[in-house]
Every structure is written in structure tokens, then in C-alpha cells.
Amino acid sequence: MAVVGLGGMGNWHRELVNKGVQFGGVHKGKKIDCLRITGSYDIKEARQQFAAQNDLHPYNSLEELLGDPKIDIVLVSTPNELHKPLVIKALEAGKNVVCEKPVALNSKELQKMIDASKKAGKVFAVHQNRRWDDDYLRIKKIYSENMLGGVFRIESRVHGSRGVPGGWRADPACGGGMVLDWGVHILDQALQMTDGKVKKVYGSLTNITNELVDDGFYAELTFDDGMIFHAEVGTNNFISLPRWYVLGRDGSAVIEDFYGNGKIIRITDYNKNDAIPIRTAAGLTKTMAPRTKDTIKEESLPVVNPDIRDFYNNFIAAIEGKEKLVVSLESVMRTMKLMEAIFLSAKKGKPVKFE
Ligand code: NAD
């Protein structure tokens, strides 16, 4: 495999593929069989030098990289607006292609990329790596195994306090902004949570620190069974809310961070409903009094142990014709259309129909 765009994320792939899983979990240190990154091309001289210092062959041009018959797979990890032209070029050169997220700037671009992969007869995959996130898979398990007895609301948030990073991420022409950057992950996860359809979408963008691109957003997705999924990205949040907050009829779950710290609280006795009212200076409330310990139970979150190498294992199996892509192009298109619906809703200032 060769990398086009050896920046932060291109190098992450180099480390994963050539050195093994880098962070946490039971898979740390494990490598991916039969895959090596051997070269790269970047327009920045410093990144070309970095490649050479890290045992990669720095190709002098994109054409030279695409013309190398030893390369089976090209990873496109450049700024977003370059994904479409580079992916199509690599497919036309007869390479299988992995493209970083967001796959493209809009669904029209994505359709052209899908058409090019069909024409070339090559595998084209999109790196929606956060489908292997530990926190997301724990929530998916809680939801799909009905561990809270009928989930009616899922809240998924990522909060930072540094605004939109500079450079291409703050440039609309490059596909900057937080809907395309982080939204693409958490909205993709939302759509993978269930087989249900999203009937209605309400989106609202923020421009607190940046006028040119959205520096955050929230979106409310109403699924056909009535479940509400609240997705939110904030970049001016000096206090972060939990990564996940889930409400079911019989319990609630929270995951605080990316590391799976959290808990489930489940009701054990609905009938014991007596409460000692809370007294405050200005009044009292029984409704909001905390439950007594004998009517609820605290439980640990389920364990899932995802293996991020499975993205590439599946990609290789798809090239060999043994498996279908886990991150199907249909699912990537659906997320792209959902982001377009969020932009449309934000523009109109009201909910829009989706599926
Ligand atoms: P970056 O700015 O660190 O790296 C981009 C690199 O592309 C730079 O080194 C730049 O010089 C190079 N480049 C620009 N134009 C080029 C061209 N025409 N040919 C070759 N190289 C070129 O950005 P990044 O953070 O690495 O992001 C790259 C991509 O990865 C983006 O699409 C981003 O959304 C995605 N990304 C994905 C994740 C994830 O978790 N999946 C995380 C971060 C970034």
C-alpha cells in the first residue's frame, strides 16, 4: 500500500499497518497480516523527508506512485476537497483505494467516485474507523440487546474547547467545518445503531469562533420507532458533557469519555416510589428527589473489545472476493445524505423529512 497525503492521519495508518495497534485495549501491538505500507507521496517536502526517515519510499510525484506495479492499494489521506479527484485517479490507474472520511464534499461527488470504482472493477473503501470505537460499540450493544428496556433517547456528543483547527479544516472550499469533520463519525454511528429509518432531521449549526465554516452543530434524528438520536459537536465547550447518555424505560446509561468510563443504572422496583422531598431555599420537590438505593442497581457497561485491524482485514477480504465491505458504500452515501439534510434543515430553520 502507498499513502497519498502523509499528514497526521496518513501517518496514523503507517503506524497501525507497519507497527501494529498503537493504543489501549487487548489488541495493542498486534499487526495486520499481509499488508505493508511501503511508500508515500506528499506535496510538502518535510513530509517527503519524514517518509524517508521512516522506511517509506517517497515517490517524486503522484504519477510515479500510481505507476508502480508493486502497489496494490492507495490510501488517500489528503484534505477533503482532494478526495474525489485523487480517488478517481487511483481507481483509473487500477489500484484498490481506501479513502479517509469525509469521503467527499457532497453526495454528487461520492456518486462519481462509486461509478469510477464500478468501472475500474476495483475495491473502494471509506475509512469510517469509528465504527470500531469501544464506546460506540458498548452503546450499540446496550441498545440492540435491549439492556435498558426500550431505549427512547440516545445522546452522542463530542466536545472540545479549541475552536475549529486552522488550515484546511477552517476553509469551506476544502470541506472544512465540524459537520463534515466529526459529524461524519457520530452520524455514521447513529445510522449504524439500528436497522430503522430516520423519518425526520432537525439540524442547527454554530459559528461561535469561526464565521466561514460551522464550528459545531447539533442534530436531532427521529427514527421510525420514535427513538430520538441527538448528535452534537461543540468546539467551544470548556466543560464537556458525557460522550454518551442513553435513556430507556428501565434504566439509563452514561459513557463519560472515549475510554469507556461509565455505568448503567437500572430500576429494580418500580412500585417502591416513595420519596423524601428535596427542600431548597425556594421550595420543595418530590418529583426530582433521587431514588433510594433499594430501588435501583448500578451495573458495569458491557465489554466489547473491538479490533481496529478488522477494517483492513475486511478490506483485504473484499479485494480477495471473500467478504463484502463492512463499511458499505451505500451506508457511506446514506451518512453523506444525512449531513446534507442537516445543512438543509439548518438553512430552513426547521425539521426536514429524511427517509
Ligand atoms: P493533515 O493536514 O495533517 O495532512 C494532510 C496531508 O496531505 C498534508 O501533509 C499535506 O501536505 C498533504 N497534501 C495536500 N495536498 C496534497 C496533494 N495534492 N497530494 C499529496 N499530498 C497532499 O490532515 P489530516 O489530519 O491528516 O487529515 C487528512 C484526512 O484524514 C482528512 O480527510 C481528514 O478528515 C481525515 N482524518 C480522519 C481521521 C479519522 O479518524 N478517520 C482523523 C483525522 C483526519
Side-chain angles (χ1 to χ4, degrees):
M1 178 156 91
V3 181
V4 179
L6 190 67
M9 201 56 195
N11 187 49
W12 181 92
H13 286 264
R14 181 190 68 83
E15 290 188 342
L16 172 69
V17 173
N18 290 1
K19 292 165 81 179
V21 178
Q22 294 294 298
F23 295 101
V26 294
H27 307 291
K28 193 172 174 190
K30 291 184 189 161
K31 287 191 174 182
I32 300 163
D33 293 335
C34 60
L35 182 64
R36 287 294 166 267
I37 295 182
T38 55
S40 60
Y41 169 65
D42 197 294
I43 51 166
K44 280 190 196 143
E45 184 47 36
R47 299 312 287 171
Q48 294 285 83
Q49 285 173 16
F50 177 87
Q53 287 155 7
N54 287 279
D55 296 329
L56 300 188
H57 172 66
Y59 291 92
N60 289 316
S61 66
L62 178 68
E63 288 65 32
E64 194 192 340
L65 182 153
L66 295 180
D68 184 346
K70 291 199 293 295
I71 298 299
D72 301 310
I73 302 164
V74 170
L75 165 71
V76 174
S77 188
T78 59
N80 302 339
E81 87 284 12
L82 298 169
H83 291 178
K84 186 194 113 189
L86 291 171
V87 164
I88 292 178
K89 261 192 187 167
L91 288 165
E92 285 174 352
K95 308 297 185 190
N96 299 291
V97 178
V98 175
C99 181
E100 259 307 338
K101 55 48 57 177
V103 61
L105 303 192
N106 53 54
S107 55
K108 271 193 189 154
E109 284 195 0
L110 174 55
Q111 191 55 53
K112 290 196 173 124
M113 296 156 94
I114 293 173
D115 293 346
S117 72
K118 283 189 184 150
K119 197 169 165 203
K122 292 288 157 186
V123 179
F124 163 41
V126 182
H127 192 233
Q128 289 294 160
N129 49 323
R130 294 200 175 275
R131 288 200 198 174
W132 283 267
D133 266 355
D134 183 80
D135 53 71
Y136 151 67
L137 288 170
R138 287 176 195 246
I139 296 296
K140 188 167 159 62
K141 194 173 169 72
I142 289 171
Y143 179 68
S144 61
E145 294 182 11
N146 207 20
M147 293 168 76
L148 300 179
V151 167
F152 56 90
R153 186 173 177 87
I154 300 180
E155 299 184 4
S156 166
R157 294 185 170 84
V158 284
H159 283 164
S161 58
R162 294 187 167 81
V164 176
W168 63 265
R169 278 186 172 81
D171 184 347
C174 298
M178 282 296 130
V179 173
L180 285 169
D181 194 51
W182 256 102
V184 71
H185 284 305
I186 67 171
L187 295 164
D188 180 68
Q189 290 176 343
L191 294 181
Q192 293 302 309
M193 196 66 73
T194 153
D195 293 335
K197 299 232 175 297
V198 177
K199 303 310 280 179
K200 200 171 66 173
V201 176
Y202 179 65
S204 179
L205 311 181
T206 60
N207 291 90
I208 315 289
T209 57
N210 191 304
E211 288 296 325
L212 294 175
V213 296
D214 64 284
D215 53 24
F217 74 96
Y218 73 81
E220 192 126 310
L221 319 181
T222 308
F223 280 83
D224 47 9
D225 64 356
M227 197 261 280
I228 303 279
F229 194 106
H230 173 98
E232 183 180 319
V233 175
T235 55
N236 205 52
N237 300 50
F238 298 93
I239 297 171
S240 297
L241 290 175
R243 173 73 188 84
W244 295 92
Y245 178 59
V246 185
L247 299 175
R249 200 188 57 243
D250 300 336
S252 311
V254 67
I255 298 187
E256 300 290 345
D257 47 31
F258 291 122
Y259 312 105
N261 292 308
K263 62 186 174 193
I264 291 174
I265 300 284
R266 194 197 301 277
I267 181 99
T268 53
D269 191 343
Y270 265 116
N271 297 325
K272 269 195 192 166
N273 221 0
D274 289 348
I276 302 161
I278 298 179
R279 291 175 179 277
T280 69
L284 92 174
T285 173
K286 226 174 158 179
T287 320
M288 297 305 162
R291 278 203 160 265
T292 49
K293 287 255 188 286
D294 56 335
T295 66
I296 48 171
K297 194 173 164 224
E298 180 171 332
E299 292 172 9
S300 304
L301 296 164
V303 175
V304 285
N305 286 329
D307 185 349
I308 186 57
R309 294 176 303 161
D310 285 345
F311 172 82
Y312 275 116
N313 289 332
N314 168 250
F315 177 65
I316 294 164
I319 292 173
E320 291 171 342
K322 294 178 187 159
E323 287 178 22
K324 283 188 171 172
L325 287 176
V326 170
V327 181
S328 72
L329 292 170
E330 294 77 34
S331 69
V332 175
M333 180 62 95
R334 191 175 172 221
T335 304
M336 184 57 80
K337 289 196 168 159
L338 177 58
M339 293 191 291
E340 289 174 340
I342 289 169
F343 286 128
L344 180 66
S345 165
K347 199 171 161 194
K348 289 186 166 181
K350 57 183 186 186
V352 294
K353 284 187 183 165
F354 188 52
E355 295 173 318

